[in-house]
Amino acid sequence: MNLINGLPAHVLLVHVVVVLIPLTALALVTAAIWPRAARRLGPLLPLLALVALASVPLTTHAGEWLERHVGDDALVRRHTELGDGLLPWALGLFVLAALVWWAGRKAQAQEPRKDGGMRWSALPVRIVVGVLSTAVAVGAVVDVYRIGDSGAKAAWHDAYSKTATGSQDGS
C-alpha cells in the first residue's frame, strides 16, 4: 500500500500514528496510575496499543516508498532515521498496556481486603508499572513530536513563500 487515492500513503497514515501513539500513551499512564480507569478501559487499552503498534510499520513502510520517490535531501534522511526509532516505543506501549490490563483483571478477580485497601505487595508493583508506563509514554510522545517536526521541515522547507503572493481580498 503505497498510494491511497493518488496520494502517497505515508502522508495519510502518519495521521493515524500522530493520533494513536499519544492517545495510547495517555490511556496507559491513566490506567497504570488509576486502577478504576484500568478496569473501565478493560481490553480497549491493549487493543488501542495494538492498533497503534501495527500502524507504525505500515507508516514506516509507506514512508520508505515515498523516500525513494523524492529527491535526495538531508532533511528527508533525518526524518527517516528518526522514524525508524518509533517502533520500540510503540512496542513498549503495547507490552505495558497488556500488562496493566492483565494485572487489572487479576486484581479484580481476587477478593478485596476487608478494610478496602490493597495488599502491601501490590503497591510496589503498581508504583514500578506506573513509573515504567510514564517513562515509555513520555518517550513515545516525544519521539512522535521529533519525527513529526523533522517530517514537516522536510516537506515544507523551500515549499512556500514567506511573503504573501496574490490578492488578499479574494478577487
Side-chain angles (χ1 to χ4, degrees):
M1 180 169 55
N2 299 319
L3 294 172
I4 298 175
N5 202 26
L7 291 173
H10 180 73
V11 175
L12 301 171
L13 291 172
V14 74
H15 293 87
V16 175
V17 172
V18 168
V19 170
L20 289 185
I21 294 291
L23 184 63
T24 302
L26 178 63
L28 172 61
V29 170
T30 302
I33 292 173
W34 189 20
R36 179 177 282 164
R39 286 190 299 274
R40 292 192 76 139
L41 283 170
L44 181 63
L45 177 62
L47 182 61
L48 177 65
L50 181 62
V51 173
L53 173 61
S55 71
V56 171
L58 287 174
T59 304
T60 304
H61 175 74
E64 289 167 353
W65 178 88
L66 182 58
E67 180 185 22
R68 291 189 302 272
H69 289 82
V70 297
D72 186 35
D73 185 332
L75 293 173
V76 172
R77 282 192 308 275
R78 174 75 175 142
H79 175 64
T80 302
E81 290 168 6
L82 288 172
D84 288 339
L86 185 58
L87 189 58
W89 291 111
L91 181 60
L93 287 173
F94 173 70
V95 168
L96 286 165
L99 177 67
V100 167
W101 171 71
W102 178 79
R105 282 183 37 140
K106 187 173 180 178
Q108 196 172 20
Q110 293 175 349
E111 289 192 32
R113 285 184 5 189
K114 293 186 192 232
D115 64 1
M118 68 175 68
R119 295 176 323 197
W120 71 272
S121 62
L123 184 59
V125 171
R126 272 197 40 224
I127 290 170
V128 169
V129 170
V131 169
L132 277 173
S133 296
T134 302
V136 170
V138 168
V141 170
V142 167
D143 207 33
V144 166
Y145 171 81
R146 292 178 62 223
I147 295 164
D149 182 61
S150 69
K153 287 176 181 170
W156 288 98
H157 81 285
D158 298 334
Y160 67 95
S161 173
K162 293 188 183 194
T163 59
T165 59
S167 174
Q168 291 288 330
D169 64 2
S171 52

